[in-house]
Amino acid sequence: MKKQLILEDGTIFIGKGFGSDTNSIGEVVFNTGMTGYQEILSDPSYCGQIVTLTYPLIGNYGINRDDFESISPAISGFIVKEASEFPSNWRNEQSIAEYFEMKNIPGIAGIDTRKLTRIIRQHGTLKGAICSISENPELILEKLRATKLRNDQVKKVSTKTPYPSPGRGRRVVLVDFGMKHGILRELNKRDCDVIVVPYNTTAEEILSMSPDGVMLSNGPGDPKDVPEAITMIKGLLGNVPIFGICLGHQLFALACGANTEKMKFGHRGSNHPVKDLQTGKVALTSQNHGYSVEENSISGSPLEVTHIALNDGTIEGLKHKEVPAFTVQYHPEASPGPEDANGLFEQFLQMIESHKEEGAAACQSVQI
Ligand SMILES: NC(=O)CC[C@H](N)C(=O)O
């Protein structure tokens, strides 16, 4: 089944379809990870995007029951050089073609994904369409150029109702903007008593759950499309310790008066070096973001830059100068990728402990 991949700039690639036979339109983004395709295709932050992988062989260890980052993938399509037809691994249960067919997502193989990546890097983000070879490319191109990409992805992928993930440790409210399950796993591993809540929960509702700390998850799209979350974070600041990841980091920055901007082609991969400006240490990190916090907007805000990307100098971490809150643009939960930054979850729990001690000391001094 021949298929075509048509880019907004008029480039056409011809390949072989796999997975669902449907046509699809989305923003085409590249990920440079050599492994971790299952976590990538199930990361809700890719909602509405067509993902291409620069590594040429994808699907060789199949799809297994453990490595999903969400129950249903939200991506709009998958572009690979070679989709392995004979996966081999003791955990393998399905090929990627079988999986995409089951989930009704179109894929296209036989594409020179490194050439495609160079086009995106030169041009900047592009919309693209995966469609049948029988479609008229001129008509598809017209449709593609006229298509406005959706701006309600967070609403689409966030949980509709709160749910608990109990533990015996600190109580953490985890705001789900399109959460990767790795974040929940990391909190549960540390025995946190977690309540996951929808993206549009108010600050009052969250505070009424008496959290020891609040986590702001990753999620898809432009942070400015979620104004209710910015209002919520403003209401939380200073009332409870906050740790934000990726979209959570961007929303936190907006709530503190800084600004975010769309990047030319984003960071997506498993080996992005990030420097901690306090310790000078460099961590290799897993990343997936197309927006970043604008550097010039920090000076008038109560924020301090704590981490930067070594590849292009963009902001990768922030902390609030007055209240207990810090955020990172990258993924300390990895899934997939290196676990260098995993200690940030401990840092969050330590921040909760210090905040509790300060609160107890303040109460004592009032009594005196
Ligand atoms: N992984 C994320 O949370 C991504 C954040 C945001 N959607 C971006 O692309 O920048």
Side-chain angles (χ1 to χ4, degrees):
M1 164 187 51
K2 264 190 171 180
K3 279 208 165 187
Q4 45 187 345
L5 166 69
I6 302 178
L7 300 181
E8 200 181 348
D9 70 348
T11 312
I12 301 177
F13 290 87
I14 306 292
K16 188 173 168 241
F18 67 91
S20 153
D21 202 18
T22 50
N23 291 350
S24 174
I25 285 183
E27 180 186 355
V28 184
V29 297
F30 64 88
N31 186 304
T32 55
M34 292 173 73
T35 57
Y37 55 82
Q38 184 170 333
E39 293 91 327
I40 292 165
L41 64 87
S42 60
D43 175 352
S45 293
Y46 286 110
C47 177
Q49 294 174 329
I50 296 178
V51 179
T52 183
L53 296 161
T54 52
Y55 191 70
L57 176 63
I58 298 298
N60 50 317
Y61 53 91
I63 295 284
N64 62 65
R65 63 186 289 279
D66 304 322
D67 289 347
F68 290 112
E69 283 303 304
S70 65
I71 290 176
S72 270
I75 52 168
S76 293
F78 214 49
I79 307 167
V80 300
K81 172 78 174 82
E82 183 183 344
S84 175
E85 288 175 34
F86 305 104
S88 171
N89 185 271
W90 64 277
R91 295 193 302 164
N92 168 44
E93 293 190 344
Q94 241 177 341
S95 71
I96 57 168
E98 286 163 346
Y99 180 72
F100 278 123
E101 197 177 335
M102 185 177 97
K103 293 292 183 183
N104 202 27
I105 295 169
I108 183 168
I111 304 296
D112 182 345
T113 57
R114 295 182 175 185
K115 179 174 176 190
L116 170 61
T117 298
R118 279 203 299 274
I119 295 173
I120 300 169
R121 282 180 63 103
Q122 273 154 17
H123 184 284
T125 296
L126 282 163
K127 282 182 281 183
I130 297 177
C131 59
S132 152
I133 196 78
S134 58
E135 300 279 353
N136 178 339
E138 291 303 320
L139 291 182
I140 294 282
L141 200 53
E142 227 172 85
K143 192 172 163 200
L144 187 57
R145 289 185 176 143
T147 300
K148 233 179 131 340
L149 295 176
R150 56 188 308 160
N151 60 3
D152 61 346
Q153 297 102 312
V154 169
K155 182 174 176 194
K156 189 175 169 213
V157 293
S158 171
T159 180
K160 302 285 175 279
T161 50
Y163 60 91
S165 184
R168 290 178 176 274
R170 290 295 179 200
R171 174 172 288 182
V172 175
V173 170
L174 170 54
V175 187
D176 176 8
F177 297 115
M179 175 189 80
K180 279 169 69 191
H181 274 244
I183 298 179
L184 186 54
R185 282 196 298 271
E186 291 300 330
L187 291 172
N188 285 152
K189 226 191 263 175
R190 291 162 177 85
D191 213 14
C192 292
D193 187 19
V194 186
I195 305 175
V196 183
V197 299
Y199 77 102
N200 54 354
T201 311
T202 64
E204 292 71 30
E205 283 165 339
I206 291 177
L207 293 173
S208 74
M209 296 172 186
S210 310
D212 296 313
V214 171
M215 277 221 59
L216 309 171
S217 86
N218 63 295
D222 184 341
K224 290 180 186 165
D225 291 337
V226 209
E228 52 277 68
I230 301 171
T231 311
M232 170 238 288
I233 297 167
K234 282 184 184 162
L236 297 176
L237 278 170
N239 289 317
V240 62
I242 297 176
F243 176 25
I245 292 176
C246 216
L247 187 73
H249 155 87
Q250 297 165 356
L251 291 165
F252 168 75
L254 290 170
C256 294
N259 194 23
T260 53
E261 57 192 350
K262 190 157 172 71
M263 302 161 84
K264 190 177 172 197
F265 49 77
H267 297 171
R268 295 178 182 88
S270 305
N271 62 348
H272 283 254
V274 165
K275 183 171 180 176
D276 181 332
L277 297 176
Q278 282 154 343
T279 63
K281 278 193 182 160
V282 174
L284 281 178
T285 66
S286 179
Q287 299 202 12
N288 166 19
H289 63 108
Y291 292 83
S292 63
V293 176
E294 196 189 330
E295 206 184 326
N296 295 336
S297 69
I298 296 293
S299 55
S301 78
L303 299 174
E304 186 184 320
V305 177
T306 55
H307 296 77
I308 54 159
L310 286 181
N311 287 342
D312 62 5
T314 47
I315 295 177
E316 290 289 337
L318 291 169
K319 86 170 186 206
H320 199 289
K321 290 183 196 159
E322 287 136 33
V323 300
F326 71 95
T327 58
V328 286
Q329 181 64 81
Y330 50 95
H331 292 276
E333 77 283 7
S335 305
E339 293 171 3
D340 298 21
N342 204 255
L344 290 176
F345 287 95
E346 262 77 47
Q347 202 174 308
F348 174 49
L349 291 174
Q350 276 158 18
M351 180 169 75
I352 288 177
E353 295 313 318
S354 327
H355 182 70
K356 286 225 164 263
E357 280 162 23
E358 276 164 30
C363 285
Q364 267 178 3
S365 62
V366 169
Q367 278 165 10
I368 292 163

